[in-house]
Amino acid sequence: AVAAMAARRSRAARALLALLVVCAPGRVSQGWGPATAHAWAPREVLSTNDLSMNAYPAVTHVPCVLLLNATGSVGCSTNAGGVTAPVRRFESAADVRSRLKSRTILLLPASAFPEVLSDFAKGESRWKTHAAGFMLEPGVDADGNFPSADFDREPSIRSEPGGSDGHAPSTSGATLARLLAGIRLGQNRTFSPQPKRGDEDLRSLRVWNPGGFGAAYMRFENTPIVLLDAAGADVARTFAAANGERGTSRVAEMRFPMAAAAAAATTEKNANPAKRCLEQRTCQPIGGHSVVASVPASLEHTLSTKNSQSSVREESDETVDDGSRRLTDNRGNKKKRDYLLVSARLDATALFHDAAFGANAAMSGLVAMLAIAKTYADAIRDARASLASLEFSTSTSSDDDENAPPRLSSETFERALREDAAPVAFAAFGAESWGRAGSRRFARLVRDATKALARLDESDANRGSDTSGASFANVDALPLWMRDRSVGGVVDLGAVGFTHFTTEPTVFAHANEEARGDTRDDLRDKSSSFPLVDSIEESFAKEDASGAANASRRLSFARASANVSELPPSSASSFIGNAVPAVVLAEYDGAYVDGTFGSAFDVGMEKVDVQKMASLVSGTARALASLAFSSSRSADAKTNETHDDDDASSSLSALHALVKENLPDFDAVEETTRSLAECLIDPKVGFECALAKKMAFEPQETFPSRYAGVAPITIGKRGFDAETDGVVGAGADDVARFVFEFLAEATSEIRGDPRASSCASPDACGDGEVCARASGDVPGDV
C-alpha cells in the first residue's frame, strides 16, 4: 500500500493545487515551531506525468500492518477506500490536545508519538475522533537538523530485493537503517512500542519494559500509521506547512486495505480468526528457520574402530575391549552425557516491520552467540592440532613425576571429546518475537525425544535394539545425535550491547526457578548456587584479573537481584516446562535499560560496545570449556550417575587443560566479534562485510529488516537437513542463511581432523554430512 499526498477530490481543486504547487517555493517557514528548510520542490512540468507527480507526490514510508492470532488481531488497516484528510504537523501531545479540532492526519515527531498514542488508546481523549491517521517523522540528526533527502534518485525504501540470480542485492533496508541510526529522539529518548510486561503465555507479572507503550499489540482499525523516511518527511512537512494551523487544501490519502481484516471481522465468536484467514489464503503464517550447530561437529562416529557405537551397544555394564568400564543402560547402550545449549534469537520486532533491525535487543545477543561458537570451536580445533607437541612432552616425562601432565593421545582426545565430554549446541531460534516459535518447537522436540527414549529404555522388548532415533515419533527435525540425549543446561544471550550504563558496565545472570529450588539438588553445589552461574562467574573473575589494566575491556559480572523471580523474556523460557536449568545473560537486572527496545530506532553500531561484547564472549567461552570437560555431576545437568572410570576422568582433565590453553586471546575474540557486528549490526556495511565476502555469501538485501519471515507451507513437515531444490533451508531469509553458513564453517572439523573431507557438491556428501558452501576459488574447495 502506498500513502499518497493529494488535493481535495474535486477536479477543480486538483487543478488549482497543481498550479499552486508548481509555483510554491522550496523553503517554507511554519507559523509555529522553528523555521525549516525543505529539499522537496515541484519538478519542471514537461509532461502530464510531471504534472501528476507534482499534484500527488508519493510519500515514501514503512507501514504498520495487520496481524491475526488465535483470539483477534493487532496492527493497522483501512477499509477499501482508505482515509483522506488534511495534513497538519504537531510538536507534542500537549500541542495535539490544544489545537486538534477537526478531522486531520497528524504529522508528528517520533519522540511525541508514545504520549500521543497513549492518549489516543485511552479512548477518553476529546480529540480522538479527529485523528484520521498518523505520519511519524524519523527525527533529527545529532546537530538538531532534519535529515536531508536526495530527490535526484528514486526512493529505495520500497525497492524489490535482489539476490543470487545475478542481480545486485537491494539496498533499501540499508538506506532506511542508516537514516534511523543517525537520529536523535530528543529529550524523550524512550520509544518502545512493545508491552511493559513479559511473556503473556507465561503469565508474567513483572514490568521488564518500563518505557513500553504497547502499540505493537494494539488494534488500529481504519487508522493508518506510517514511519516516513527523509524524502517522505520532507514532502509531508511541505504540505503541512502550506496548510498552516487551520488550512485544509493539502490532504493525504492513505489506503491500507487488508483481506485479513475481513476474515477477522466475519469470524464467529470464540472462533480462531487466524485459522480462518489461513484457510481462505488471505494471509500467510509468520515463521522461519532456526539454525543449530554443535561442537564437536559430529558425534555419530569416532576415530577409534575398536570402540565404535555398535560395539558399545553390544556391551552392558561390563569391561569393554579397551579395558575400561562404561556405564550403560539396560539395553547395553552407553549413557550419553546431556548437552549444553547456547542460544540467541534470530530475528527482531518493531511496530513497523520493514524497520525491525534490533541492533541491541536481538542482534547483540546473536553476534555474541556466534562469536562464542567460533571461539570455543577454535580452541578445540587448535587443541587437536597441538597434540603432536603435547605427546612429545608427555613421552619424555618421568613416570615418577607426580606433576607430569596426563598422557593424551589423538585417539584418547577424540574419544574423550565425543564420549566423555558434554557436547555444546549453538542455536539461533527463529520467530521468537511471536510466541517464541523456534525455541518452543525445539524444546517440544527435545521433550518428545526424552520421553520416547525413556519408554524404549523401560521396555524389555526393545532390549539390544538400535535406538539411534530413526523410529522416534515427532523428532525427525532433530539431528540424530540429539535424539538420545537431552538438554542439560541453557545459556541464552539477551540484549548485551552495553552502551546504556551510567556506571560500570555489567552483565547480569538471570537463573530460572527450577535451578534455584530444592528439587534439583544434583544441579547445585554445596552453597546451593546455580552451577552454570558459578562457572560463568568464575570465568569472568579470571578474565577481569587478566585484563584489569584495560578499562575499555572491563565488564563486571553480577547475579540478578533476589527480587527478580522470573526469567526475562527469552528463548530460555521455552525450556521451563522441561525443568531444564537455564541462565539468561543480559545487560539489565530488573528492567530493560534500552529505551528503544523493539522499535525502529534500535539500529546502528552506536547501540553496541564491541569490546564489552568481546569480554562477554571470552568469559562465556571459558565457562563452556569448564562445564563441558568437567567430570562432576553438577556439570552434567541430567545424569544422576558419575563416571567410575579414572581413565575417563583423567582424559577429561587433560582435555580441559589443553582446550583452556588454546582459547583465542582477547584480540582475536574482539576481531571476530567486530567482524560479525559489521555484518549484522552496522547498516553502513551489512552483508557487504569482509566476512560475508570471505564466505562467498550472496544476500538478497545488504541490510534487511530482521522481522520474522513467512513460514513456507511445507515447514514443519521436513526432517533435519531436508532439502528443497538441492538447498538446505530453502526459503530461509538472509540472516538465517548467513548464520547457517557461519556456524557451518566455524564448527567444522575439516581442519585437523582426518575423518573430514571436502566435497565438490552437495550430492557428494554422505549420510549425516552437509555441504556448507562452495567458495569458488578452488575446484572442490567447500
Side-chain angles (χ1 to χ4, degrees):
V2 176
M5 304 301 297
R8 287 191 179 276
R9 290 187 175 275
S10 72
R11 186 183 302 272
R14 290 183 179 179
L16 178 62
L17 175 62
L19 292 173
L20 290 175
V21 172
V22 168
C23 299
R27 180 179 292 271
V28 179
S29 180
Q30 299 179 174
W32 63 95
T36 305
H38 303 299
W40 182 83
R43 64 175 65 185
E44 182 181 5
V45 178
L46 300 177
S47 65
T48 55
N49 182 62
D50 293 333
L51 184 62
S52 177
M53 290 297 294
N54 286 338
Y56 306 99
V59 179
T60 45
H61 66 283
V62 289
C64 160
V65 300
L66 184 66
L67 296 169
L68 300 182
N69 60 19
T71 57
S73 58
V74 297
C76 312
S77 66
T78 68
N79 55 33
V83 298
T84 302
V87 184
R88 297 189 182 90
R89 188 174 189 275
F90 298 84
E91 292 287 342
S92 64
D95 192 20
V96 173
R97 297 183 195 111
S98 64
R99 291 199 301 113
L100 184 57
K101 306 296 183 183
S102 61
R103 185 76 168 164
T104 301
I105 289 177
L106 287 72
L107 177 63
L108 295 166
S111 57
F113 186 61
E115 186 178 358
V116 170
L117 193 67
S118 296
D119 279 1
F120 181 83
K122 291 176 183 177
E124 55 193 37
S125 301
R126 287 179 294 178
W127 59 265
K128 179 176 180 178
T129 56
H130 301 319
F134 298 92
M135 293 182 174
L136 305 190
E137 299 171 343
V140 296
D141 60 23
D143 297 325
N145 300 318
F146 290 122
S148 59
D150 183 2
F151 288 95
D152 293 331
R153 59 169 174 79
E154 291 296 322
S156 62
I157 201 170
R158 309 295 294 176
S159 61
E160 294 297 323
S164 57
D165 56 357
H167 295 89
S170 169
T171 60
S172 61
T175 300
L176 178 62
R178 286 195 297 268
L179 166 70
L180 296 174
I183 291 302
R184 300 294 180 271
L185 291 175
Q187 292 182 350
N188 181 7
R189 299 186 61 188
T190 298
F191 189 100
S192 177
Q194 305 305 317
K196 292 181 180 293
R197 301 189 186 278
D199 296 315
E200 183 177 350
D201 65 304
L202 299 177
R203 295 179 174 85
S204 173
L205 299 177
R206 186 170 188 83
V207 176
W208 289 103
N209 185 25
F213 57 95
Y217 285 76
M218 295 179 185
R219 177 70 173 100
F220 301 95
E221 190 171 359
N222 214 36
T223 306
I225 303 175
V226 299
L227 174 66
L228 307 177
D229 70 354
D234 255 331
V235 177
R237 279 194 297 269
T238 300
F239 273 60
N243 275 334
E245 188 168 352
R246 294 185 176 83
T248 60
S249 62
R250 270 66 168 179
V251 302
E253 181 178 328
M254 304 174 74
R255 292 194 302 270
F256 299 94
M258 298 189 182
T266 58
T267 302
E268 297 178 358
K269 187 177 181 180
N270 299 326
N272 186 331
K275 182 177 180 181
R276 179 182 178 89
C277 183
L278 291 171
E279 289 173 347
Q280 295 177 344
R281 301 295 177 92
T282 55
C283 59
Q284 294 177 304
I286 292 177
H289 293 75
S290 295
V291 183
V292 182
S294 65
V295 177
S298 172
L299 290 98
E300 298 306 311
H301 306 284
T302 65
L303 286 173
S304 171
T305 59
K306 294 174 61 180
N307 190 22
S308 65
Q309 283 193 346
S310 59
S311 65
V312 171
R313 290 196 183 98
E314 293 170 359
E315 302 291 337
S316 60
D317 193 6
E318 303 291 342
T319 301
V320 292
D321 53 7
D322 65 352
S324 62
R325 290 174 57 85
R326 305 291 185 187
L327 291 171
T328 61
D329 59 25
N330 60 15
R331 286 171 286 109
N333 292 331
K334 176 187 168 183
K335 293 283 189 181
K336 297 182 178 180
R337 289 194 65 176
D338 297 336
Y339 56 93
L340 296 166
L341 179 67
V342 183
S343 63
R345 34 189 312 198
L346 193 59
D347 44 46
T349 187
L351 177 62
F352 308 104
H353 299 179
D354 290 338
F357 301 107
N360 186 32
M363 293 298 104
S364 64
L366 181 62
V367 165
M369 185 274 288
L370 296 177
I372 292 168
K374 185 177 188 306
T375 300
Y376 182 71
D378 282 352
I380 292 179
R381 187 181 297 116
D382 292 343
R384 178 185 287 116
S386 69
L387 274 179
S389 60
L390 182 64
E391 287 177 333
F392 174 79
S393 173
T394 57
S395 66
T396 57
S397 299
S398 170
D399 292 337
D400 297 330
D401 185 359
E402 295 181 356
N403 296 321
R407 290 181 173 85
L408 191 66
S409 66
S410 294
E411 182 175 339
T412 306
F413 177 95
E414 299 299 339
R415 179 177 298 145
L417 180 63
R418 287 172 171 77
E419 297 182 10
D420 300 319
V424 181
F426 298 92
F429 291 121
E432 288 297 280
S433 298
W434 295 103
R436 307 184 313 280
S439 60
R440 287 177 70 182
R441 184 189 182 207
F442 184 84
R444 185 173 64 250
L445 291 171
V446 171
R447 184 169 60 250
D448 290 347
T450 302
K451 291 180 179 179
L453 185 63
R455 287 196 298 268
L456 288 176
D457 195 30
E458 293 171 359
S459 174
D460 291 339
N462 290 292
R463 183 181 299 275
S465 63
D466 183 349
T467 59
S468 60
S471 62
F472 287 3
N474 304 320
V475 296
D476 61 328
L478 289 175
L480 286 174
W481 71 266
M482 282 187 175
R483 299 180 194 180
D484 52 3
R485 300 173 188 257
S486 191
V487 178
V490 178
V491 179
D492 187 74
L493 282 305
V496 289
F498 303 117
T499 61
H500 301 88
F501 285 90
T502 56
T503 57
E504 185 176 7
T506 303
V507 59
F508 293 91
H510 300 258
N512 68 338
E513 184 176 354
E514 285 80 3
R516 295 194 302 266
D518 297 330
T519 59
R520 301 300 301 276
D521 290 335
D522 57 309
L523 303 180
R524 300 179 293 125
D525 63 12
K526 295 179 181 179
S527 63
S528 298
S529 58
F530 189 35
L532 288 179
V533 180
D534 287 344
S535 296
I536 298 171
E537 185 174 34
E538 181 181 351
S539 296
F540 271 90
K542 293 179 179 179
E543 290 290 322
D544 188 56
S546 63
N550 194 333
S552 62
R553 298 178 179 179
R554 182 183 294 275
L555 180 65
S556 298
F557 174 90
R559 298 167 186 256
S561 300
N563 63 344
V564 180
S565 58
E566 63 181 54
L567 287 179
S570 63
S571 300
S573 299
S574 297
F575 297 89
I576 291 178
N578 293 29
V580 174
V583 59
V584 178
L585 300 179
E587 65 180 4
Y588 51 85
D589 185 8
Y592 301 158
V593 293
D594 185 353
T596 61
F597 173 82
S599 78
F601 300 98
D602 183 11
V603 59
M605 289 294 285
E606 291 186 359
K607 303 292 289 187
V608 298
D609 185 326
V610 171
Q611 285 196 318
K612 300 296 189 299
M613 291 172 64
S615 294
L616 171 66
V617 170
S618 184
T620 307
R622 183 181 294 273
L624 288 179
S626 298
L627 289 163
F629 303 119
S630 170
S631 59
S632 66
R633 60 182 178 178
S634 62
D636 193 353
K638 285 280 185 80
T639 303
N640 293 321
E641 304 289 348
T642 58
H643 285 295
D644 60 350
D645 185 349
D646 293 338
D647 290 340
S649 179
S650 177
S651 297
L652 274 179
S653 178
L655 183 56
H656 182 203
L658 187 61
V659 170
K660 283 203 306 182
E661 290 175 3
N662 285 276
L663 281 167
D665 62 24
F666 185 87
D667 290 338
V669 173
E670 183 182 356
E671 181 181 358
T672 297
T673 307
R674 190 174 301 279
S675 297
L676 286 163
E678 287 179 350
C679 301
L680 294 168
I681 298 177
D682 191 350
K684 297 178 182 178
V685 182
F687 289 137
E688 293 180 344
C689 60
L691 185 57
K693 293 178 179 178
K694 180 181 178 182
M695 297 192 307
F697 179 67
E698 296 181 342
Q700 299 289 315
E701 292 190 63
T702 57
F703 199 77
S705 172
R706 274 67 168 148
Y707 195 82
V710 173
I713 296 298
T714 56
I715 201 166
K717 298 181 179 179
R718 296 196 295 268
F720 175 73
D721 279 350
E723 299 184 7
T724 300
D725 298 329
V727 178
V728 174
D733 60 28
D734 285 338
V735 177
R737 291 192 303 111
F738 175 84
V739 170
F740 172 85
E741 295 200 11
F742 178 85
L743 283 177
E745 181 170 354
T747 61
S748 171
E749 297 179 348
I750 195 168
R751 293 186 298 236
D753 189 339
R755 299 176 305 119
S757 62
S758 61
C759 52
S761 69
D763 297 333
C765 294
D767 293 338
E769 295 180 330
V770 59
C771 182
R773 63 176 179 83
S775 68
D777 296 332
V778 180
D781 179 18
V782 175

